[in-house]
Each structure stands twice: as C-alpha cells, then as structure tokens.
Amino acid sequence: MKLNLKIWRQKDANAKGELVTYPIKGIEGDMSFLEMLDVLNEELINKGDEPVQFDHDCREGICGACSLQINGEPHGPDRLVTTCQLHMRKFNDGDTIVIEPFRATAFPVINDLIVDRSSFDRIQQAGGYISVNTSGNTVDANATPINKHAADEAMDAATCIGCGACVAACKNASAMLFTSAKVSQFALLPQGQVEAVDRVQNMVRQMDLEGFGNCTNTGACEIECPKGISLENIARMNREYLSATTKG
C-alpha cells in the first residue's frame, strides 16, 4: 500500500508548526497505525532526518498514550479503539492521511505529535481517590454489599484511560466526559461517599482552572471515546455537583 502522509511537525509549544508531507510505501493492511509510523521513522533515520515524535507505551489500548488526530478524528476512523489498535486496512492504497496532535489549550504541544496531558493528572489529584484505613484496622472490600447495577456502572466509568479523545473531539475542548467518569466511578460506590461533596467540587474547579471549555451536549465525546464512556456520567456529575453546592 502506498500512502501520502501529512504530519504535523513542531519543535515545542512556542515554535511555529506545519504539516510536512511524507510519501510512504510497502504498508501492509495488518500493520497497526503506530507500526506504520515506525516504518516511516526508520526511513527518516536511515536518511539522516529527524524522526517524527509520537507518544506510545502499552500498544494494547490500555494506557491512552498513543492519542493522535487522524484525518480530523481522535484515534482515526474506527470506533472503540485507540490509535495503537487502529489497523491500516481501514485505509486505501493512495490515501492521503493527515496526522496531528490533539488540539486543546489545556494540551500544549511538547514535540510534533506529543502533547502534555498532565492537566488530566491534576484533575485526578484534586479528588479522584478515596480514604481507606490501612493502619491495621482494615475492612475487606467484599464485606460491603454493592448493588450489581451500581457496580457495573462504576466499572464502566472506571474504564476511562484518560487518553483525551473526548477533549479533542469536542468543539469546546471540554473535559466533562473525563472528569465525570472519574467522579462517577466513586459516586456509585459506598466507599466513595466520604469525600463525595469535596470530590466533585474540587475536580470541577480544577477542570476549569486548567482551561477546558464548557459542555454543550453535542455528544462527540462519547462517539469518539475508545472505551465508550457514556454521557450519562456527565449528567451524574452535574447532579453530584448541584447536590454538593446545595449542601455547602
């Protein structure tokens, strides 16, 4: 397969970036998208050129590091997959593929296709945890009965890998889906009730401080999310926030 790649190259957050065209051939349909980029980088290195910088780690759809904007879509044209799980058979011989970093003020470019998503870490640190006594007076987690429906919904919310596709897909660059998933996974469980009031207020406050936009219920975030995180989590977080501010 022969392809025409238009890849965003940018030295750092302060440098001016541009799309650079790279023709490539010999790409197999069973290659992953990242394997295709590996082939390109090997060619660039052999020619003495600077390889394209892109983020990756597990290459198994777990870590969320491999986030790329491919032809205007976070993680590309497939659904419920991350970039590392996207196969080249989704493209045709002769296609032009535009590859860019996720675009958001809160995700500044580090180099080429790599963005800084530490804003997500700070939102998580603001309240995405529970307090557990580990000083010898611990309680077995299984000793607390949890409704099956609530447990399933909490697990669904906890599958969020923090890749940032929701932000990249949103016209407002909102992080509501990410934040609501992190709030919901605790709000649905009895273990999360102790910090519930502070959690939602602190995480929403940090989300706003990071410069993410507001949610206008477009729904693009859920469609592009590789884990299928539901918009219902945003509604739940709004209820949690309303309740918390009323109590406060």
Side-chain angles (χ1 to χ4, degrees):
M1 190 188 309
K2 294 182 180 179
L3 299 167
N4 198 38
L5 307 179
K6 292 183 179 292
I7 301 178
W8 186 260
R9 304 302 306 264
Q10 183 175 343
K11 187 175 180 180
D12 54 50
N14 298 317
K16 182 179 179 180
E18 63 177 347
L19 286 169
V20 179
T21 301
Y22 299 97
I24 191 170
K25 59 184 179 179
I27 301 302
E28 300 292 335
D30 289 337
M31 285 182 179
S32 73
F33 200 85
L34 296 190
E35 287 171 336
M36 180 273 294
L37 290 178
D38 290 338
V39 171
L40 172 66
N41 276 344
E42 186 174 358
E43 291 181 2
L44 292 175
I45 291 170
N46 289 337
K47 290 191 295 184
D49 295 335
E50 186 70 21
V52 175
Q53 305 296 317
F54 62 93
D55 208 355
H56 64 95
D57 189 0
C58 72
R59 297 202 177 200
E60 294 180 346
I62 298 171
C63 69
C66 63
S67 304
L68 298 176
Q69 194 88 346
I70 303 167
N71 285 343
E73 292 187 82
H75 297 299
D78 210 349
R79 290 291 174 266
L80 299 177
V81 299
T82 54
T83 299
C84 63
Q85 296 173 303
L86 177 66
H87 285 88
M88 296 311 297
R89 56 179 169 266
K90 286 290 181 179
F91 302 93
N92 299 312
D93 185 39
D95 276 358
T96 294
I97 305 176
V98 180
I99 310 168
E100 301 172 90
F102 280 179
R103 303 291 190 184
T105 301
F107 290 166
V109 172
I110 296 175
N111 191 341
D112 291 344
L113 302 175
I114 302 174
V115 298
D116 180 358
R117 285 170 294 176
S118 60
S119 52
F120 270 11
D121 296 332
R122 290 186 289 273
I123 293 173
Q124 183 81 346
Q125 291 162 3
Y129 54 83
I130 61 171
S131 296
V132 178
N133 188 339
T134 59
S135 62
N137 189 28
T138 57
V139 178
D140 192 315
N142 292 329
T144 305
I146 299 173
N147 177 275
K148 176 68 164 57
H149 181 68
D152 287 346
E153 285 195 320
M155 181 59 72
D156 288 343
T159 60
C160 169
I161 57 176
C163 67
C166 51
V167 176
C170 179
K171 61 185 179 183
N172 306 317
S174 172
M176 285 285 279
L177 193 67
F178 166 79
T179 307
S180 67
K182 300 306 178 184
V183 168
S184 290
Q185 72 180 80
F186 297 117
L188 287 158
L189 301 176
Q191 293 91 339
Q193 299 311 305
V194 177
E195 292 94 356
V197 170
D198 290 337
R199 176 183 300 110
V200 68
Q201 292 185 87
N202 291 340
M203 293 182 78
V204 169
R205 183 183 303 113
Q206 189 63 42
M207 176 183 70
D208 291 340
L209 288 173
E210 297 295 342
F212 291 104
N214 293 322
C215 173
T216 50
N217 295 315
T218 303
C221 53
E222 180 179 347
I223 293 172
E224 300 292 354
C225 175
K227 299 302 176 182
I229 302 298
S230 172
L231 287 174
E232 291 179 3
N233 290 295
I234 295 179
R236 182 179 296 107
M237 186 175 76
N238 286 337
R239 293 193 298 271
E240 289 282 320
Y241 188 82
L242 179 62
S243 176
T245 52
T246 301
K247 289 178 182 177

